[in-house]
Amino acid sequence: MQLPLRRRTQLEDRMRTADTYEQWAKAAQAHDDLAGLAQWRKMDQTRLYDHVSIRYRLDRLRALRSRHDDVGLLFTLNEGIHGNMGGMGKAAVHSRSKFGTKHLIENYVEEIADSLNHIANTENKNIDFEDKLDFFQRASQCYGRSALMLSGGGALGFYHIGVVRALLEQDLLPNVISGASAGSLVAAVLGTHTDDEMDQFMDAKHLAFEAKQEASWFNRMFRGARAHIDIHDLQSVINRLIPDMTFEEAYKKTGRQISISIAPAETHQTSRLLNAIASPNVYIRSAVLASCAVPGVYPPVTLQAKNVYGDSQPYLASRKWIDGSISDDLPAKRLSRMYGVNHFIVSQINPVVLPFISRKKKRGGFATAAASIGRSALTEVLDSQRFISQNYLRDMPRLNMVLNSMHSLAKQEYSGDINIVPSFRFYDMRKLLAKLSEDELVGLMREGERAAWPQIETIRTCTRISKVLDTILEEMQNIEVQAVRRVHPLPAIK
């Protein structure tokens, strides 16, 4: 018994210190073998999900494809494609083993993907192009999409770069990405750079160079006995990393649907989520500058947008904006409404909430009930405080703003379906805007990668179907556009 325990500890150490995902995965699979979880993955049965229904549907889809019954296959797919069919999307099902989940779930997801591709490519005369397009549009709308949400966290935002690098290497980065404060900078880099450009950006040598650049910036900013933080220093970093383009221009270039949270500097205003849908002409640089404007550190920011003549001018000139994480660190509801998102991957580095966030939702009924009661009580206190501040502290605008910010921070939801959180839970709050060395920044990026690796297979399984639907729809819409152009060609330019 002592030998397996020692071996298990060695494998856990290898996972913690792995340099690549392949190294981590090898150690994780060996750990599952030792713990008997590799065998657990092979067995359909468990009380965690409805394995009978999933097995029946898997066998039915396989039989229809093997008989080349395309009409029957399309009818069966039309009965519904669900990410949580029979409870297969539950966190408990995906958190039992270190690597992967039940083979039945993985096989079912892969069969759905294969069936969707088969229908898209079939030349069956009983299923025309319009039937296919109608089906895939409905299926995509019903199934939903995944989004990556990058939290605020000051200088700790380098952690997000590691998370993004791990997802990019496995081709698992969602097209819908939001960022607040420090997360907005990383989201903006993703939204303004193509895949090839991101490959170069995420190169180890380039990331080391970026860490050196940022460490040098911190040195300049904190030179001397007292820190002198100038918004122009932050602006120079933003201008170096982000091309000068609007949200609409960025979307046309990369196809990534990025959103940036900003909070109002004045009372009686609401937070905003800036993106190619809500604010297509706003310059991304100004959005990031506003989202990073920490109250008391940087002054509020006026947004800039491109007008019809191509010139820059103030956007909502009478309004100023501050740190987006104060009001909408993780804008799940707005992303759901705008992009049809119903599955959220969260990269969480905000040290205010880290002690309360778990990688996986495992709490039982009593703990959940206690948390719900506690949250309700806190909400009542905060609502009372907000009433007092709005009605009796009108002549104290700064105090009013601080109390409103505390209210907004405390009432937010800081977790998602999949939470990528660092191994540390407590961080010196004074270092959020403090000098960080090159080694510390590289360490934060490495921490982000290692925190993402245990979630990779869960993300792969949970996003597989939506990625296939997105790809098929994009290809079909391109075919439709080409067909329209053949029928109605553009007039020749004389």
Short mmCIF file of all heavy atoms in Angstrom, two decimals, residues 185-212:
data_model
loop_
_atom_site.label_atom_id
_atom_site.label_comp_id
_atom_site.label_asym_id
_atom_site.label_seq_id
_atom_site.Cartn_x
_atom_site.Cartn_y
_atom_site.Cartn_z
N LEU A 185 -7.12 43.76 -21.65
CA LEU A 185 -5.90 43.90 -22.46
C LEU A 185 -5.62 42.61 -23.22
O LEU A 185 -5.31 42.63 -24.42
CB LEU A 185 -4.72 44.26 -21.57
CG LEU A 185 -3.38 44.54 -22.25
CD1 LEU A 185 -3.50 45.70 -23.22
CD2 LEU A 185 -2.30 44.82 -21.22
N VAL A 186 -5.76 41.47 -22.55
CA VAL A 186 -5.52 40.18 -23.20
C VAL A 186 -6.61 39.90 -24.24
O VAL A 186 -6.32 39.42 -25.34
CB VAL A 186 -5.47 39.05 -22.15
CG1 VAL A 186 -5.24 37.70 -22.82
CG2 VAL A 186 -4.37 39.32 -21.12
N ALA A 187 -7.86 40.22 -23.91
CA ALA A 187 -8.95 40.02 -24.87
C ALA A 187 -8.72 40.87 -26.12
O ALA A 187 -8.96 40.42 -27.24
CB ALA A 187 -10.30 40.38 -24.23
N ALA A 188 -8.25 42.10 -25.92
CA ALA A 188 -8.00 42.99 -27.06
C ALA A 188 -6.87 42.48 -27.94
O ALA A 188 -6.93 42.59 -29.17
CB ALA A 188 -7.68 44.39 -26.55
N VAL A 189 -5.83 41.92 -27.34
CA VAL A 189 -4.74 41.34 -28.13
C VAL A 189 -5.28 40.20 -28.99
O VAL A 189 -4.98 40.09 -30.18
CB VAL A 189 -3.61 40.84 -27.21
CG1 VAL A 189 -2.60 40.00 -27.99
CG2 VAL A 189 -2.90 42.01 -26.54
N LEU A 190 -6.13 39.35 -28.40
CA LEU A 190 -6.72 38.24 -29.14
C LEU A 190 -7.62 38.74 -30.27
O LEU A 190 -7.61 38.19 -31.37
CB LEU A 190 -7.54 37.36 -28.20
CG LEU A 190 -6.75 36.46 -27.25
CD1 LEU A 190 -7.67 35.91 -26.17
CD2 LEU A 190 -6.10 35.32 -28.01
N GLY A 191 -8.39 39.78 -29.99
CA GLY A 191 -9.35 40.27 -30.98
C GLY A 191 -8.74 41.01 -32.14
O GLY A 191 -9.38 41.17 -33.18
N THR A 192 -7.49 41.46 -32.00
CA THR A 192 -6.86 42.26 -33.06
C THR A 192 -5.72 41.53 -33.75
O THR A 192 -5.04 42.12 -34.60
CB THR A 192 -6.32 43.58 -32.46
OG1 THR A 192 -5.43 43.29 -31.37
CG2 THR A 192 -7.46 44.46 -31.96
N HIS A 193 -5.50 40.26 -33.42
CA HIS A 193 -4.42 39.49 -34.04
C HIS A 193 -4.97 38.19 -34.60
O HIS A 193 -5.75 37.49 -33.94
CB HIS A 193 -3.31 39.19 -33.03
CG HIS A 193 -2.55 40.41 -32.58
ND1 HIS A 193 -3.04 41.29 -31.64
CD2 HIS A 193 -1.34 40.89 -32.95
CE1 HIS A 193 -2.17 42.26 -31.44
NE2 HIS A 193 -1.12 42.04 -32.22
N THR A 194 -4.56 37.84 -35.80
CA THR A 194 -4.98 36.59 -36.43
C THR A 194 -4.33 35.41 -35.73
O THR A 194 -3.44 35.57 -34.88
CB THR A 194 -4.59 36.58 -37.91
OG1 THR A 194 -3.15 36.62 -38.00
CG2 THR A 194 -5.19 37.76 -38.65
N ASP A 195 -4.74 34.20 -36.10
CA ASP A 195 -4.16 32.99 -35.51
C ASP A 195 -2.65 32.94 -35.75
O ASP A 195 -1.88 32.57 -34.84
CB ASP A 195 -4.82 31.74 -36.08
CG ASP A 195 -6.24 31.56 -35.57
OD1 ASP A 195 -6.61 32.24 -34.58
OD2 ASP A 195 -6.99 30.74 -36.16
N ASP A 196 -2.21 33.26 -36.96
CA ASP A 196 -0.78 33.24 -37.26
C ASP A 196 -0.03 34.26 -36.40
O ASP A 196 1.07 33.98 -35.89
CB ASP A 196 -0.53 33.53 -38.74
CG ASP A 196 -0.97 32.38 -39.64
OD1 ASP A 196 -1.10 31.25 -39.12
OD2 ASP A 196 -1.17 32.59 -40.84
N GLU A 197 -0.62 35.44 -36.25
CA GLU A 197 0.01 36.47 -35.42
C GLU A 197 0.05 36.06 -33.96
O GLU A 197 1.01 36.35 -33.24
CB GLU A 197 -0.73 37.80 -35.59
CG GLU A 197 -0.53 38.44 -36.95
CD GLU A 197 -1.46 39.62 -37.20
OE1 GLU A 197 -2.48 39.74 -36.49
OE2 GLU A 197 -1.15 40.43 -38.10
N MET A 198 -1.02 35.38 -33.51
CA MET A 198 -1.04 34.91 -32.12
C MET A 198 -0.01 33.82 -31.89
O MET A 198 0.56 33.72 -30.80
CB MET A 198 -2.44 34.40 -31.75
CG MET A 198 -3.48 35.50 -31.52
SD MET A 198 -2.98 36.78 -30.33
CE MET A 198 -2.64 35.80 -28.87
N ASP A 199 0.23 32.98 -32.90
CA ASP A 199 1.28 31.96 -32.78
C ASP A 199 2.64 32.62 -32.51
O ASP A 199 3.42 32.16 -31.67
CB ASP A 199 1.37 31.13 -34.06
CG ASP A 199 0.22 30.13 -34.18
OD1 ASP A 199 -0.43 29.88 -33.15
OD2 ASP A 199 -0.02 29.64 -35.29
N GLN A 200 2.89 33.71 -33.21
CA GLN A 200 4.15 34.44 -33.00
C GLN A 200 4.16 35.12 -31.64
O GLN A 200 5.16 35.12 -30.93
CB GLN A 200 4.33 35.48 -34.11
CG GLN A 200 4.49 34.89 -35.50
CD GLN A 200 4.56 35.95 -36.59
OE1 GLN A 200 4.87 37.11 -36.32
NE2 GLN A 200 4.25 35.57 -37.82
N PHE A 201 3.01 35.69 -31.25
CA PHE A 201 2.92 36.38 -29.96
C PHE A 201 3.13 35.41 -28.81
O PHE A 201 3.76 35.75 -27.79
CB PHE A 201 1.56 37.07 -29.84
CG PHE A 201 1.40 37.90 -28.59
CD1 PHE A 201 1.78 39.23 -28.58
CD2 PHE A 201 0.88 37.35 -27.43
CE1 PHE A 201 1.64 40.00 -27.44
CE2 PHE A 201 0.73 38.11 -26.28
CZ PHE A 201 1.12 39.44 -26.28
N MET A 202 2.59 34.18 -28.94
CA MET A 202 2.65 33.21 -27.87
C MET A 202 3.95 32.39 -27.87
O MET A 202 4.12 31.51 -27.03
CB MET A 202 1.45 32.25 -27.95
CG MET A 202 0.15 32.92 -27.58
SD MET A 202 0.13 33.44 -25.85
CE MET A 202 -1.40 34.38 -25.80
N ASP A 203 4.84 32.67 -28.82
CA ASP A 203 6.13 32.00 -28.83
C ASP A 203 6.86 32.28 -27.51
O ASP A 203 6.82 33.41 -26.99
CB ASP A 203 6.97 32.49 -30.01
CG ASP A 203 8.33 31.84 -30.06
OD1 ASP A 203 8.41 30.67 -30.46
OD2 ASP A 203 9.31 32.51 -29.67
N ALA A 204 7.54 31.28 -26.98
CA ALA A 204 8.19 31.40 -25.67
C ALA A 204 9.17 32.56 -25.63
O ALA A 204 9.23 33.32 -24.64
CB ALA A 204 8.89 30.09 -25.31
N LYS A 205 9.95 32.75 -26.69
CA LYS A 205 10.93 33.84 -26.72
C LYS A 205 10.23 35.19 -26.71
O LYS A 205 10.67 36.13 -26.05
CB LYS A 205 11.83 33.70 -27.95
CG LYS A 205 12.78 32.52 -27.90
CD LYS A 205 13.68 32.49 -29.13
CE LYS A 205 14.65 31.30 -29.07
NZ LYS A 205 15.51 31.24 -30.28
N HIS A 206 9.13 35.29 -27.46
CA HIS A 206 8.41 36.56 -27.51
C HIS A 206 7.76 36.87 -26.16
O HIS A 206 7.76 38.02 -25.71
CB HIS A 206 7.34 36.53 -28.60
CG HIS A 206 6.67 37.85 -28.81
ND1 HIS A 206 5.49 38.18 -28.16
CD2 HIS A 206 7.01 38.94 -29.55
CE1 HIS A 206 5.13 39.41 -28.50
NE2 HIS A 206 6.03 39.89 -29.34
N LEU A 207 7.20 35.85 -25.50
CA LEU A 207 6.60 36.07 -24.19
C LEU A 207 7.65 36.49 -23.17
O LEU A 207 7.37 37.33 -22.30
CB LEU A 207 5.87 34.81 -23.73
CG LEU A 207 4.57 34.49 -24.47
CD1 LEU A 207 3.99 33.18 -23.97
CD2 LEU A 207 3.55 35.60 -24.32
N ALA A 208 8.84 35.92 -23.28
CA ALA A 208 9.93 36.33 -22.38
C ALA A 208 10.29 37.79 -22.63
O ALA A 208 10.55 38.56 -21.70
CB ALA A 208 11.14 35.43 -22.58
N PHE A 209 10.28 38.18 -23.92
CA PHE A 209 10.56 39.57 -24.28
C PHE A 209 9.47 40.49 -23.71
O PHE A 209 9.78 41.57 -23.17
CB PHE A 209 10.62 39.71 -25.80
CG PHE A 209 10.67 41.15 -26.28
CD1 PHE A 209 11.86 41.87 -26.22
CD2 PHE A 209 9.54 41.76 -26.79
CE1 PHE A 209 11.90 43.19 -26.66
CE2 PHE A 209 9.57 43.07 -27.23
CZ PHE A 209 10.76 43.79 -27.16
N GLU A 210 8.20 40.08 -23.83
CA GLU A 210 7.10 40.88 -23.30
C GLU A 210 7.23 41.04 -21.78
O GLU A 210 7.00 42.12 -21.23
CB GLU A 210 5.75 40.24 -23.63
CG GLU A 210 5.34 40.37 -25.08
CD GLU A 210 5.16 41.82 -25.50
OE1 GLU A 210 4.84 42.67 -24.64
OE2 GLU A 210 5.36 42.12 -26.69
N ALA A 211 7.60 39.96 -21.10
CA ALA A 211 7.77 40.03 -19.65
C ALA A 211 8.88 41.01 -19.28
O ALA A 211 8.76 41.78 -18.33
CB ALA A 211 8.08 38.64 -19.09
N LYS A 212 9.95 40.99 -20.07
CA LYS A 212 11.06 41.91 -19.83
C LYS A 212 10.60 43.35 -20.05
O LYS A 212 10.96 44.26 -19.28
CB LYS A 212 12.23 41.58 -20.77
CG LYS A 212 13.50 42.36 -20.49
CD LYS A 212 14.63 41.88 -21.39
CE LYS A 212 15.93 42.65 -21.08
NZ LYS A 212 17.05 42.16 -21.91
#
